[in-house]
Amino acid sequence: MTGFRIRPAQLGTAGVFVLAGLIFWTSCSVSQGSNIRKDDPLLRLSDLIRERGQENARQEASAAELRAEVQQLREQDHSLDPAEQERLAAVERAAGLHELTGEGLTVTLDDAPPDAVPLVSWAPEPSPDDLVIHQQDLQSVVNALWAGGAEGIRIMDQRLISTSAVRCVGNTLILQGQLYSPPYVITAVGDREALKQAMEESDAIRIYKRYVEAYGLGWEVEEHSEVTVPGYTGSVELQYAEPAGADGTGVGSKD
């Protein structure tokens, strides 16, 4: 009687089928019958940022309510003498924590139409990057306004302070944990003539205006005899720095 022998090729084929079955079983177990290749928004960076931005906005609203309660309790506390209270209020105003009203202006930046074509003879055909607002465009306006003596600046609905950072992902602005899309509105309180002069002297803004001329990017300046920017409502706690000691080193430094 001749014995049955399993050839190596047959054994390999059987192994492939066993492995395939194991993969299919694992996939079914993980997906629980759902489509594991669907476009999950949480896997997309822009949607993830948007979700975190909405959560940050909710937390900021809650923190603002708590700060208002703290402010009310502090005003009812008579343990500080009037001079100390005025000194504290002055520090808070300088830090941008109080509402500020005065003359000023508003600058609005906006993307060009997605199908924009050159509007002048010297401009080449635009690339997508030529038609959108970039981080450096916003930064150049903010820097010019500070250089022009702005007493306070607001981007969209948020007051800028010394630790504020203007960051963009694509053409989406991320400011203090919240997301914004163009048009971007920047409002400054300060001497209008000085603010306009500072923007006219900015090389970065001059470059931006060439793109305004070439492709129709948005640029609008509106003057105000009186305008108000809100007080900053976010956290002022330093997360990546520590106060300097008397010798210039950080408090608790091993140096």
Side-chain angles (χ1 to χ4, degrees):
M1 181 176 179
T2 304
F4 179 73
R5 297 177 62 188
I6 300 178
R7 297 177 181 177
Q10 293 174 322
L11 184 60
T13 301
V16 169
F17 281 111
V18 170
L19 180 60
L22 179 61
I23 292 174
F24 287 133
W25 177 85
T26 303
S27 175
C28 180
S29 175
V30 171
S31 66
Q32 296 295 319
S34 62
N35 181 8
I36 62 174
R37 292 185 61 82
K38 68 180 181 179
D39 188 16
D40 185 353
L42 293 179
L43 298 180
R44 296 168 52 195
L45 179 59
S46 60
D47 289 328
L48 180 59
I49 293 173
R50 184 172 294 105
E51 179 186 272
R52 294 295 184 266
Q54 292 171 349
E55 177 61 25
N56 287 343
R58 288 191 291 269
Q59 293 182 359
E60 285 293 346
S62 176
E65 293 179 2
L66 292 174
R67 279 191 292 272
E69 292 181 17
V70 170
Q71 177 65 21
Q72 183 178 9
L73 292 173
R74 196 183 71 189
E75 291 173 353
Q76 297 172 356
D77 181 10
H78 301 291
S79 60
L80 289 177
D81 61 49
E84 287 294 327
Q85 291 198 16
E86 177 56 33
R87 177 175 175 274
L88 180 58
V91 170
E92 290 178 338
R93 284 193 296 271
L97 304 185
H98 289 187
E99 184 180 273
L100 178 64
T101 299
E103 68 170 299
L105 50 79
T106 294
V107 180
T108 302
L109 307 179
D110 200 2
D111 292 346
D115 57 351
V117 296
L119 302 177
V120 291
S121 60
W122 51 261
E125 285 296 321
S127 70
D129 279 347
D130 295 328
L131 305 179
V132 298
I133 304 301
H134 292 282
Q135 178 175 306
Q136 64 264 29
D137 301 325
L138 292 166
Q139 289 174 333
S140 64
V141 173
V142 170
N143 290 341
L145 293 173
W146 285 131
E151 300 172 36
I153 298 177
R154 176 186 73 201
I155 296 183
M156 307 304 275
D157 59 349
Q158 292 204 66
R159 176 78 171 269
L160 300 186
I161 61 172
S162 61
T163 58
S164 299
V166 177
R167 296 286 182 267
C168 289
V169 174
N171 68 332
T172 300
L173 168 65
I174 304 176
L175 179 62
Q176 293 159 178
Q178 298 190 39
L179 297 182
Y180 302 93
S181 297
Y184 298 120
V185 181
I186 306 170
T187 300
V189 172
D191 182 272
R192 288 174 289 180
E193 294 304 318
L195 296 174
K196 289 191 297 181
Q197 182 66 26
M199 289 195 294
E200 290 174 1
E201 294 175 353
S202 167
D203 290 336
I205 291 179
R206 276 198 289 267
I207 293 173
Y208 175 81
K209 286 183 177 180
R210 288 180 62 83
Y211 283 82
V212 173
E213 181 183 1
Y215 306 118
L217 284 169
W219 172 263
E220 181 181 354
V221 178
E222 180 182 2
E223 297 186 41
H224 309 286
S225 59
E226 183 175 283
V227 67
T228 297
V229 295
Y232 175 73
T233 59
S235 173
V236 295
E237 180 180 354
L238 295 177
Q239 298 179 4
Y240 304 106
E242 57 185 6
D247 59 353
T249 62
V251 174
S253 171
K254 294 180 180 179
D255 296 336

